């Protein structure tokens, strides 16, 4: 067996002892990242893993054993096939949020082919949603908003790497705070808000608890920010505007119970993720634009 493979197996073995969910996958990602190897170089010994790389891997293994997410150790995470820089100041992009992008694109294709939509990414974090939508729908005008300056710094870096720094406006504020004296600004508001119930925080994996709680904790039942967005978004949406939110398991019924039949929205529907969970809330503003202050 080649030296690289032997070393890879030793890393995998240590990750197994650390109760990592996918030790073989993480071992390869770790070795390739710090060793600066492609798969061919790794598995054919075309390039040997250097001493400094092995030291970096040993450091990463130690951190991983203490529950630090792999994405933070690598400084990057994949989202819709693109690499985004991440730090402990931002939420790690997840496959569930890719469904959010898919549903926004469905709305864009159905209603905005001949228009230039104004879109707000509320709580942008790493910027993966704002960047992905801008790349997939270049005609849009995107605003990325976050309450954390550290998160915005990460987002701006990702926008720059992807050549989008001049295409996406960034705003620091909580919720719609910077726009209180304005209205009817956006055609679409999209958000992956905090929706983890506070009472379930201790049940989350240690890796998830390492991510910023501000981006995850949605209050007692997980709906504090979702309700706040549903309540305020109509003021900032243009007539016939759309609000799309990622939500948690079991929250769709609670949202419907509270919001169905209210005048702000003409419709509230939900799209399921690959596990059959109603994951994406799709709300359309009342065509009459009946929001009142």
């Amino acid at each position: 067996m080649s030296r690289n493979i032997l070393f890879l197996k030793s890393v995998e073995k240590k990750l197994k002892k650390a109760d990592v969910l996918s030790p073989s996958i993480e071992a390869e990602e770790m070795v390739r990242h710090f060793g600066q190897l492609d798969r061919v170089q790794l598995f054919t010994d075309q390039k040997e893993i250097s001493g400094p790389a092995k030291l970096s891997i040993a450091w990463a293994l130690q951190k991983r054993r203490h529950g630090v997410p792999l994405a933070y150790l690598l400084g990057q995470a994949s989202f819709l096939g693109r690499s985004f820089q991440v730090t402990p100041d931002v939420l790690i992009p997840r496959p569930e949020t890719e469904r959010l992008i898919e549903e926004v694109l469905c709305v864009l294709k159905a209603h905005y082919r001949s228009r230039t939509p104004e879109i707000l990414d509320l709580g942008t974090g790493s910027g993966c949603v704002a960047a992905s939508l801008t790349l997939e729908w270049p005609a849009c005008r995107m605003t990325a908003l976050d309450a954390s300056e550290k998160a915005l710094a990460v987002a701006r870096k990702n926008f720059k790497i992807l050549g989008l720094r001049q295409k996406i406006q960034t705003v620091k504020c909580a919720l719609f705070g910077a726009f209180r004296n304005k209205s009817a600004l956006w055609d679409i508001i999209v958000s992956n808000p905090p929706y983890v119930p506070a009472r379930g925080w201790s049940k989350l994996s240690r890796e998830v608890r390492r991510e910023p709680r501000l981006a995850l904790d949605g209050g007692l039942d997980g709906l504090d920010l979702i309700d706040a967005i549903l309540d305020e978004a109509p003021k900032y949406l243009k007539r016939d505007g759309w609000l799309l939110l990622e939500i948690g398991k079991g929250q769709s019924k609670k949202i419907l119970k509270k919001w169905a039949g209210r005048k702000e929205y003409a419709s509230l529907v939900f799209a399921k993720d690959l596990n059959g969970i109603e994951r994406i809330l799709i709300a359309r503003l009342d065509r009459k634009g009946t929001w009142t202050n």
Side-chain angles (χ1 to χ4, degrees):
M1 190 178 292
S2 71
R3 285 174 292 184
N4 283 357
I5 300 300
L6 285 171
F7 181 74
L8 177 65
K9 292 294 183 184
S10 71
V11 172
E12 182 180 343
K13 185 177 180 180
K14 291 173 183 176
L15 287 170
K16 283 182 179 178
K17 289 183 178 179
D19 292 325
V20 169
L21 189 60
S22 304
S24 60
I25 294 173
E26 287 203 13
E28 183 178 336
E29 286 190 60
M30 197 178 286
V31 172
R32 286 182 57 195
H33 175 82
F34 291 107
Q36 296 184 320
L37 305 167
D38 60 33
R39 297 201 84 215
V40 173
Q41 290 171 328
L42 173 61
F43 289 105
T44 64
D45 273 5
Q46 285 186 13
K47 181 179 177 182
E48 190 172 346
I49 303 166
S50 67
K54 290 181 178 179
L55 288 175
S56 294
I57 293 166
W59 165 83
L61 283 168
Q62 182 68 17
K63 293 289 186 180
R64 196 71 186 92
R65 280 196 290 268
H66 287 88
V68 178
L70 179 64
Y72 290 156
L73 299 175
L74 303 184
Q76 62 188 36
S78 178
F79 184 77
L80 285 174
R82 300 182 181 97
S83 180
F84 286 86
Q85 293 195 3
V86 294
T87 74
D89 297 307
V90 300
L91 197 67
I92 298 168
R94 287 169 165 78
E96 292 89 344
T97 309
E98 295 182 356
R99 285 289 293 120
L100 184 62
I101 300 296
E102 292 170 2
E103 292 302 324
V104 176
L105 289 174
C106 285
V107 170
L108 287 167
K109 291 172 184 176
H111 301 281
Y112 295 95
R113 285 191 178 275
S114 59
R115 289 187 274 172
T116 301
E118 300 274 2
I119 303 176
L120 172 67
D121 176 21
L122 183 61
T124 196
S126 67
C128 64
V129 169
S132 298
L133 286 172
T134 304
L135 289 167
E136 297 294 333
W137 204 268
C140 76
R141 286 193 285 265
M142 179 67 67
T143 301
L145 180 156
D146 205 286
S148 166
E149 183 58 45
K150 290 181 178 180
L152 282 175
V154 176
R156 292 186 189 111
K157 187 175 292 185
N158 282 317
F159 299 157
K160 183 177 180 180
I161 291 170
L162 294 167
L164 300 173
R165 190 63 190 91
Q166 303 304 314
K167 292 260 309 174
I168 301 176
Q169 178 188 11
T170 56
V171 177
K172 180 184 181 298
C173 71
L175 208 54
F176 298 99
F179 305 98
R180 291 300 183 198
N181 298 321
K182 301 178 181 180
S183 62
L185 297 173
W186 295 288
D187 296 284
I188 298 173
I189 295 174
V190 59
S191 183
N192 175 17
Y195 58 73
V196 174
R199 56 193 172 196
W201 182 260
S202 61
K203 298 177 182 179
L204 297 175
S205 70
R206 59 178 183 170
E207 285 84 1
V208 173
R209 294 199 305 273
R210 288 276 190 160
E211 297 185 58
R213 185 160 184 166
L214 183 66
L216 290 165
D217 189 342
L220 185 63
D221 60 358
L223 293 173
D224 284 5
L225 264 293
I226 291 172
D227 281 336
I229 294 170
L230 280 162
D231 188 47
E232 294 199 40
K235 176 182 178 182
Y236 303 100
L237 284 168
K238 297 179 184 179
R239 185 167 296 186
D240 282 345
W242 297 80
L243 172 66
L244 293 95
L245 303 177
E246 181 177 331
I247 64 173
K249 182 178 181 181
Q251 292 178 338
S252 59
K253 292 181 180 179
K254 294 179 181 178
I255 292 169
L256 273 179
K257 184 177 180 180
K258 182 171 182 178
W259 289 92
R262 289 181 54 166
K263 65 182 180 181
E264 292 94 334
Y265 297 99
S267 64
L268 292 170
V269 297
F270 300 90
K272 294 181 179 180
D273 64 16
L274 293 176
N275 294 314
I277 296 169
E278 292 185 321
R279 180 66 64 182
I280 310 300
L281 165 62
I282 306 163
R284 188 170 192 177
L285 192 64
D286 185 345
R287 291 175 181 270
K288 298 177 183 178
T290 55
W291 184 89
T292 56
N293 195 349

